[in-house]
Structures are given as C-alpha cells and as structure tokens.
Amino acid sequence: MNRAQQPSSLEQVRLWVQQARRIAVLTGAGVSAESGVPTFRDAQTGLWANFRPEELATEEAFRRDPRRVWDWYAERRAAMAAVRPNAGHVALAEFQQRHPGRLTLITQNVDGLHQKAGSMGVLELHGDLMVDRWLNPCLNRDLHGGEVAACNTAAAVPGRPPYCAECRNLLRPAVVWFGEMLPPGILAAAEHAASVCDLMLVVGTSGMVYPAAGLAVQARQAGAQVVVINPEPTDLDEVAHLRLTGPSAQWLPLLLAD
Ligand code: BV8
C-alpha cells in the first residue's frame, strides 16, 4: 500500500482492538497523571524533594525510619481524596462494560482510580494505597500459646505509624515494596492474561519496574500485538509493534470507542 493508503497508527490500533478477542492492558502511573496524581518518576515535591521513591518504598526504609515512610504514604493517601478518574480510566471501564470478559486490566498503580472509574476484575500488581497490614507476624498468638486474637488492625493505637498496644507491632501500608514479592495469585492471573491476549496496550508506564514490565515481553513472545501509549520514550518501546505518542486520556477514548 502506498503511504496515502496505509492506515494511520490510530486506525491500525483501532483495527487491532476491533479484531482482538482478548485484550490485556498494562497501566502505570502515567494513566493517572491527568487526574493530577504525580507519577513515580516525577520529581518528588515538598517534604520528599530529597528522596527517590525507590528509597522510601522499601521495608528497610520503613524499619529504619517508620515515621518518615508512614508520613509519605499518609500524604499520598490524603491527596487521593480530591482525585477523580480521568477520560482514560473511564474509556477502559466503559469498554469492559460493553464487552464483558474481553479486556483484562492489569495495573502497577496503587491509587484505585481504575476501580473508581468502574473497571472490574482489576489486577493490582502492587497493592492498594489505602490498605494497611502489620509489619511483623503477630506475636500475641505465640505469647499465650492458645488461640489469642491476633493483633487487630482496627484496634491499632493511632500514631505515625499506628501500633498494637499488646505487642508493639507496627502498621505499614499493604502495598508491594521494592524487594517484596508481588501477590502470587494476582501475578499468575496477569501472566495468564499476557500469554493468551491478542493485543496488549501498555499505557503510561516507563517500563522500568519488574516483574510488571515483563508482562509486555511475555505478550509479545506469545504472539500478541503490543502497543505502547506514552508521551515519552519508554523501556518497552522495542517490545512494541506500534507506539502512540501522547497522553493516555487523549488516546484511550479514541482507541476504545466502538
Ligand atoms: C520483586 C508500590 C522479587 C509502592 C511499587 C528483574 C526482575 C524482578 C525484579 C527486579 C528486576 N530488576 C529489578 C528488580 C527489582 C525491582 C525493580 O523492578 N526495580 C526497578 C527500580 C529497576 N522490582 C521489585 O522489587 C519488585 N519485586 O521483583 O520481587 C523478589 C524475588 C525474591 C524475593 C523477594 C523479591 C516489586 C516492585 C514493586 C514496587 N512497588 N509501587 C508505592 O507505590 O509506594 S512500583 C512503583 O513504581 C509504582 O507503583 C509504579 O508502578 C512504579 C513506577 O512505574 P510506572 O508506573 O511506570 O511510573 P513511572 O513514574 O516510572 O512512569 C510514569 C510513566 O508515565 C512515564 O513513562 C511517563 O512518560 C508516563 N506519562 C506521564 N504522563 C502521562 C504518561 N503516560 C500517559 N499519559 C500521560 N498523561
């Protein structure tokens, strides 16, 4: 076909969307950028200007300075109260509603915006920003031998971070920190979706964090068409058949409209 007849990238990807029986979408922080949520690579602001996220989002950082890491998450949680899903989140949710079972949404994000937009079955690889868990296994159960109620997160003593009055266990955000395993069941479901999809959209991620970024490689190796949607170059550009350069809140509504 001569250039005039070749489909534009948008037309080509829209064709792939229409033809795909199974679509997997892998999102990163960029899909929430137009909702005003700073991405992980954005320069940290204010209190956190001198810290890289990789330095704060670790168990070691939390054990070294629980208050600093707890405060960083408390500030991120507070900021989420005013945040709404954008047109990109909504386009994904509405496509799922119109085409039940055809689109599996895998996210690296912990902001819950896909669910707020109405997406279902979201595979949260890195957990949920708004959920806490105990830092250590509860000692209560062992201290008394019998079946003593384990530390109850609801009864945690308020603090920075909150703690167990019984055994001084600390609450921590239940997100997956660097160096921690992803939830095995969720990772397995994401790997399955990547291995059976006909099309993978890789949206708003730098492609730097593994094993999440490896899902795009897996989809490519399994024979799927892979499309990167991002205003900037990413570490997954070589894995993609096509790139759509620009913001996801602009591209996704165009791609996913019937
Ligand atoms: C693990 C929760 C193994 C916390 C996060 C190879 C294999 C396996 C592991 C590794 C490996 N190499 C290195 C590792 C270790 C590490 C890793 O990947 N390190 C990186 C830094 C190299 N991985 C891990 O530690 C993982 N665990 O591997 O365990 C193991 C084995 C044995 C025993 C124990 C463990 C765990 C990783 C999970 C870390 N937790 N989040 C929190 O949020 O506080 S990840 C964190 O970073 C975020 O959640 C986010 O997902 C991620 C950042 O990635 P992005 O989402 O891509 O965000 P980023 O800011 O980078 O990019 C934003 C993009 O948006 C940019 O491209 C930008 O251009 C674009 N954008 C901007 N505006 C828009 C836009 N796009 C579209 N539209 C716009 N408008």
Side-chain angles (χ1 to χ4, degrees), residues 76 107-113 124 126-130 175-176:
R76 290 170 61 190
T107 190
Q108 300 173 81
N109 300 338
V110 296
D111 59 29
L113 286 176
E124 289 184 312
H126 298 156
D128 177 344
L129 179 64
M130 308 313 270
V175 296
V176 178

Side-chain angles (χ1 to χ4, degrees), residues 27-35 37-42 52-54 56-58 72-73 76 86 107-111 125-129 173 175-182 203-213 229-235 244 246-251:
T27 65
V31 81
S32 299
E34 280 141 296
S35 296
V37 181
T39 70
F40 234 63
R41 308 273 154 238
D42 282 342
R52 285 174 354 104
E54 288 86 357
L56 289 171
T58 67
W72 180 49
Y73 281 91
R76 290 170 61 190
N86 61 55
T107 190
Q108 300 173 81
N109 300 338
V110 296
D111 59 29
L125 298 175
H126 298 156
D128 177 344
L129 179 64
V175 296
V176 178
W177 279 333
F178 288 97
E180 294 184 331
M181 298 290 278
L182 276 59
V203 190
T205 180
S206 59
M208 295 169 72
V209 175
Y210 281 80
I229 300 171
N230 199 308
E232 303 294 330
T234 81
D235 287 6
L244 296 175
S248 48
Q250 170 197 310
W251 281 116

